[in-house]
């Protein structure tokens, strides 16, 4: 894809986002969500028909998929792959900015026709993804973020993104988050679901905090896993193009009016400005019950990032 084609594709994506936001503004909070296999999804961008159509999407061995629970750094990683594959190596590569589950069912036919290699991203549970991704052993990057910062980020996202219903208070959001009554389901169930598959050779786990604190070594690991062999110089270049400040400054080009919605603070520890002592303890107990001692639970480094 040439730079001009990429620009046209981006502009189309932005126009589509505008349209969806306008449609969403006319709906009630109840009308903004749908339930698919027990998980809530935003109704204006997801549909049962699209989920069904996705089942026929044949994966290819050279596809690549970025898997995240919302607000764990999806757009950051998409941009990192964009820089690595498209800008730097000048590879013919199709990077889909929207999640695989977003859009109309016809989009699946369009995805089928895209040239290889294709880069997808998704917030779906393992079992809800098209089976052929696993049969073909497509390489998967699972990006995690600690559950408290994810909650704080998600709260603001619900209240600033028109396709999602708003929560009047942090308390109301916190309750829904703990009960998994938010779009894309429970953080805890989602992470547990992926945890069952973490030993599969095609899955690599990275963390938001790891990228924030030691971008170079984390990116080196990602690049090795995907067989990209980046030099130190290239890694520094990717860092300069994908750091928070640069991405936020460029966000009106990449995300239009939703630029400031997707690029808010980009920090570790903002949860401390939202949680009270009781809420913090409640989440600690939930983490202990569900994720402590699991492989993904360990990767989250809970005690380092989630204690006052
Ligand atoms: P905050 O709301 O805490 O700022 P997603 O892309 O999955 O929706 O995740 C959004 C979160 O990632 C937001 O967190 C956003 O600011 C943060 N983010 C996006 N790009 C980033 C970057 N380059 N560096 C650090 N954080 C980034």
């Amino acid at each position: 894809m040439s730079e001009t084609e990429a620009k046209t594709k981006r502009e189309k994506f932005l126009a589509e986002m505008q349209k969806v936001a306008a449609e969403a503004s006319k709906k009630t909070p109840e009308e903004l969500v749908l339930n698919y296999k027990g998980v809530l999804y935003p109704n204006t961008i997801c549909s049962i028909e699209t989920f069904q159509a996705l089942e026929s999407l044949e994966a290819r061995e050279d596809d690549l998929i970025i898997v995240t629970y919302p607000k764990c750094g999806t757009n950051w990683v998409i941009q990192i792959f964009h820089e690595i594959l498209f800008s730097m190596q000048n590879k013919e590569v199709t990077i889909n900015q929207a999640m695989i589950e977003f859009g109309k069912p016809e989009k699946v036919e369009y995805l089928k026709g895209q040239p290889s290699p294709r880069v997808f991203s998704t917030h779906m549970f393992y079992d809800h993804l098209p089976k052929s991704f696993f049969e073909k052993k497509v390489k998967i990057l699972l990006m995690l973020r600690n559950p408290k910062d994810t909650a704080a980020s998600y709260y603001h996202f619900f209240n600033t993104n028109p396709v999602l219903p708003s929560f009047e208070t942090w308390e109301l959001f916190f309750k829904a988050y703990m009960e998994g009554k938010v779009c894309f389901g429970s953080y805890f169930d989602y992470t547990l679901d992926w945890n069952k598959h973490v030993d599969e050779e095609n899955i690599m786990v990275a963390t938001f905090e790891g990228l924030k604190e030691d971008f170079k070594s984390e990116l080196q690991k990602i690049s090795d896993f995907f067989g990209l062999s980046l030099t130190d110089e290239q890694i520094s270049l990717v860092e300069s193009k994908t750091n928070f400040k640069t991405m936020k400054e460029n966000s009106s080009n990449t995300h239009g009016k939703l630029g400031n919605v997707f690029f808010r603070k980009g920090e570790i520890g903002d949860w401390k400005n939202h949680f009270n002592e009781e809420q913090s303890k409640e989440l600690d107990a939930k983490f202990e019950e569900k994720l402590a001692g699991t492989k993904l639970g360990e990767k989250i480094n809970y005690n380092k990032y989630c204690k006052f």
Side-chain angles (χ1 to χ4, degrees):
M1 202 194 314
S2 69
E3 194 51 63
T4 323
E5 282 167 324
K7 191 164 172 262
T8 312
K9 198 167 168 236
R10 197 163 54 236
E11 281 165 0
K12 240 176 112 186
F13 170 71
L14 293 182
E16 193 55 36
M17 287 208 321
Q18 278 294 99
K19 218 171 101 196
V20 167
E23 263 173 47
S25 66
K26 294 182 211 132
K27 299 202 174 193
T28 64
E30 292 73 30
E31 284 169 341
L32 284 173
V33 290
L34 68 88
N35 189 321
Y36 178 66
K37 295 190 181 172
V39 177
L40 297 179
Y41 290 94
N43 208 354
T44 41
I45 47 177
C46 295
S47 73
I48 305 285
E49 293 75 21
T50 302
F51 287 120
Q52 286 164 348
L54 271 177
E55 284 167 22
S56 71
L57 180 64
E58 283 291 320
R60 302 180 196 146
E61 270 147 27
D62 59 356
D63 285 340
L64 185 161
I65 183 155
I66 298 159
V67 169
T68 54
Y69 185 79
K71 312 324 292 169
C72 292
T74 325
N75 287 275
W76 188 9
V77 185
I78 291 174
Q79 191 62 31
I80 289 172
F81 275 103
H82 184 274
E83 292 307 333
I84 299 174
L85 297 167
F86 186 66
S87 310
M88 293 173 42
Q89 306 199 344
N90 230 342
K91 277 198 176 161
E92 283 291 326
V93 62
T94 319
I95 299 187
N96 291 291
Q97 226 178 332
M99 305 293 108
I100 196 170
E101 60 272 26
F102 292 178
K104 301 204 164 66
E106 304 85 86
K107 78 92 99 39
V108 176
E109 283 309 309
Y110 168 74
L111 295 178
K112 286 179 186 171
Q114 283 184 333
S116 292
R118 303 173 296 186
V119 179
F120 298 117
S121 50
T122 183
H123 296 320
M124 287 166 91
F125 280 58
Y126 182 101
D127 293 331
H128 297 182
L129 270 172
K131 298 283 164 290
S132 95
F133 278 96
F134 306 110
E135 286 156 12
K136 290 275 161 54
K137 295 202 185 318
V138 168
K139 284 202 170 151
I140 295 174
L141 179 67
L142 171 62
M143 176 86 164
L144 300 176
R145 187 181 191 185
N146 79 69
K148 291 186 178 174
D149 278 330
T150 304
S153 179
Y154 212 4
Y155 167 62
H156 291 285
F157 196 61
F158 266 99
N159 285 351
T160 47
N161 186 340
V163 310
L164 298 174
S166 306
F167 284 90
E168 263 175 45
T169 60
W170 158 252
E171 282 68 27
L172 283 174
F173 171 78
F174 178 74
K175 188 168 180 292
Y177 181 77
M178 295 301 285
E179 290 171 356
K181 291 184 181 156
V182 289
C183 288
F184 305 99
S186 150
Y187 172 97
F188 302 94
D189 292 346
Y190 175 90
T191 312
L192 264 179
D193 184 52
W194 279 94
N195 187 66
K196 285 190 248 154
H197 306 281
V198 69
D199 289 330
E200 290 171 21
E201 59 183 335
N202 54 317
I203 301 182
M204 171 182 180
V205 182
T207 64
F208 182 98
E209 293 79 9
L211 272 174
K212 251 331 258 187
E213 290 188 336
D214 192 355
F215 185 88
K216 288 198 168 85
S217 73
E218 199 79 355
L219 187 60
Q220 188 68 61
K221 284 186 229 154
I222 295 174
S223 123
D224 291 347
F225 180 76
F226 288 98
L228 296 166
S229 55
L230 296 180
T231 62
D232 288 351
E233 209 179 20
Q234 286 175 316
I235 289 183
S236 298
L237 191 62
V238 178
E239 185 174 29
S240 70
K241 292 195 167 184
T242 62
N243 65 53
F244 183 72
K245 189 168 169 287
T246 306
M247 285 190 70
K248 192 171 171 76
E249 278 167 8
N250 194 29
S251 64
S252 59
N253 295 328
T254 54
H255 292 72
K257 289 194 174 150
L258 289 184
N260 282 330
V261 172
F262 277 96
F263 302 90
R264 194 182 62 94
K265 281 194 167 179
E267 289 170 3
I268 301 172
D270 188 42
W271 66 268
K272 293 180 186 167
N273 299 317
H274 297 77
F275 282 67
N276 63 29
E277 195 74 40
E278 198 185 321
Q279 291 163 338
S280 176
K281 286 202 174 122
E282 191 181 328
L283 205 149
D284 292 350
K286 183 95 162 176
F287 187 86
E288 190 58 35
E289 175 203 332
K290 296 264 196 178
L291 289 168
T294 65
K295 286 206 173 163
L296 291 186
E298 292 298 307
K299 296 255 181 205
I300 288 167
N301 215 337
Y302 194 84
N303 285 337
K304 179 167 178 195
Y305 296 114
C306 289
K307 293 287 160 93
F308 270 118

